[in-house]
Amino acid sequence: MTATRPSRGDRSLPRCRSDQWQMVWTGEHGTAGQRFFLSGGVRSRGGPPCHLRAKLSLRAERDGRLLPVAGNPATRSLEGDLPGDGIREEGGSLVMGGGPLFWSFYRDEWATRPSRGRPG
């Protein structure tokens, strides 16, 4: 598994409080060719502008045991400024333009590599 590139933001802003943000779309997943991905984003819950730094980790498990997949568990840094970099609401729908607070993890060639831990 590979985490996508880290993001950035304005570290001079005050640190975001836990009540100013929430993870959304954490169950988004799919395939693109031979790439399986899991993605989501961060939405601002209000308050003054702030800087968010968080560490995400993904553990692929089956029956409570870590799957024998290269790079498992995977971690990545998430960093950006709220509300500007977060998912925004337009016309009653959440919209993400691929900004720094959109995150994804992916696994290449997951369907073709022989592995006891292949998703299935």
Side-chain angles (χ1 to χ4, degrees):
M1 288 186 290
T2 306
T4 54
R5 65 178 170 72
S7 48
R8 39 180 97 72
D10 181 357
R11 293 183 179 175
S12 69
L13 287 172
R15 191 171 78 186
C16 291
R17 301 182 317 261
S18 61
D19 65 338
Q20 288 182 276
W21 62 280
Q22 77 181 102
M23 299 289 274
V24 294
W25 296 337
T26 57
E28 287 293 309
H29 65 280
T31 58
Q34 292 297 311
R35 177 176 281 185
F36 172 80
F37 65 88
L38 177 68
S39 61
V42 174
R43 179 180 184 189
S44 174
R45 297 180 72 190
C50 62
H51 181 74
L52 178 66
R53 290 180 72 186
K55 185 176 182 178
L56 302 179
S57 83
L58 174 71
R59 293 175 52 91
E61 299 179 349
R62 180 176 289 143
D63 300 325
R65 289 188 290 230
L66 200 63
L67 291 174
V69 176
N72 188 21
T75 60
R76 70 156 291 175
S77 296
L78 185 67
E79 190 168 350
D81 304 326
L82 290 175
D85 293 333
I87 293 174
R88 62 190 185 282
E89 191 169 332
E90 289 183 9
S93 297
L94 296 177
V95 177
M96 171 50 88
L101 296 178
F102 175 80
W103 56 267
S104 64
F105 289 92
Y106 66 88
R107 168 90 169 124
D108 281 325
E109 301 178 32
W110 66 274
T112 59
R113 289 188 182 173
S115 171
R116 294 184 320 233
R118 186 175 64 217

